[in-house]
Amino acid sequence: RTTNLNSAKLEGVDFHLYYDLDISAGHFAFGLTGTKATKATLATGALVANQLGLNSPEFTATSFLAWNKDKTSARVTVNYSGKFHDGGPDYLGNRVVSSPFVTTNLFLGYAFDDEDGALAGTSLRLGVDNVFNEKPDYVKRSSASLLSYLHWTLARVLQLNISKEN
């Protein structure tokens, strides 16, 4: 049997800004999105507690700058995750505050759209996630009962994509 014994009430402000610009150097786009949490109440049975900033940051944001001209495109994305209090203690029993975390992703693309021959309709794309190989805070735990995958990220990830249209 499955039972849902908890409830949560979340409040905050979400925002989104976007701007497009066409000039002789190409098409540029800029975007910024984010969330500022103002309330996070968790009810577990008869216990009601404010969980704001516990196990997740109060502020997160993502911004990007993109460019494309003719067959070439590029995009840089920056992700920001603010500080937060970790829900479990470290191996000495101390409360842990995780530092803000920033990652940068890069995308480059080229399309052989108008070409004749073997490469006609071929697109090449290179993606690099976490370009600067940032590492989040590491918390040494004394208890194996806490989630081991909470607040983790991959290191730098490279992706090379090739696609072909007929």
Side-chain angles (χ1 to χ4, degrees):
R1 222 157 124 119
T2 304
T3 316
N4 185 356
L5 300 175
N6 297 339
S7 68
K9 182 176 182 179
L10 308 173
E11 295 179 9
V13 177
D14 295 328
F15 61 91
H16 176 82
L17 302 167
Y18 186 83
Y19 185 74
D20 268 327
L21 178 65
D22 282 313
I23 59 175
S24 61
H27 176 84
F28 288 88
F30 169 77
L32 175 65
T33 62
T35 298
K36 169 64 174 131
T38 58
K39 187 175 187 179
T41 305
L42 180 66
T44 307
L47 179 64
V48 177
N50 183 5
Q51 301 286 315
L52 186 62
L54 182 65
N55 283 327
S56 64
E58 292 179 34
F59 181 72
T60 58
T62 297
S63 64
F64 74 88
L65 176 63
W67 167 83
N68 70 311
K69 182 170 183 175
D70 300 327
K71 303 172 188 179
T72 307
S73 59
R75 180 180 176 121
V76 175
T77 305
V78 177
N79 300 303
Y80 173 84
S81 182
K83 72 176 184 174
F84 62 90
H85 294 278
D86 194 86
D90 67 6
Y91 71 102
L92 296 174
N94 298 319
R95 190 168 184 195
V96 178
V97 176
S98 290
S99 301
F101 186 62
V102 179
T103 58
T104 304
N105 302 335
L106 175 66
F107 166 85
L108 302 170
Y110 185 81
F112 296 91
D113 292 335
D114 301 331
E115 310 254 345
D116 288 332
L119 294 178
T122 302
S123 295
L124 303 175
R125 291 173 299 282
L126 172 67
V128 183
D129 291 346
N130 199 356
V131 171
F132 303 111
N133 202 22
E134 295 294 323
K135 294 174 178 51
D137 285 349
Y138 180 77
V139 180
K140 292 182 181 178
R141 301 274 188 218
S142 61
S143 171
S145 64
L146 296 171
L147 296 175
S148 60
Y149 55 84
L150 196 61
H151 311 299
W152 65 276
T153 186
L154 294 173
R156 184 180 306 123
V157 177
L158 300 173
Q159 302 167 23
L160 179 61
N161 300 299
I162 301 171
S163 63
K164 175 128 172 98
E165 292 181 15
N166 290 330

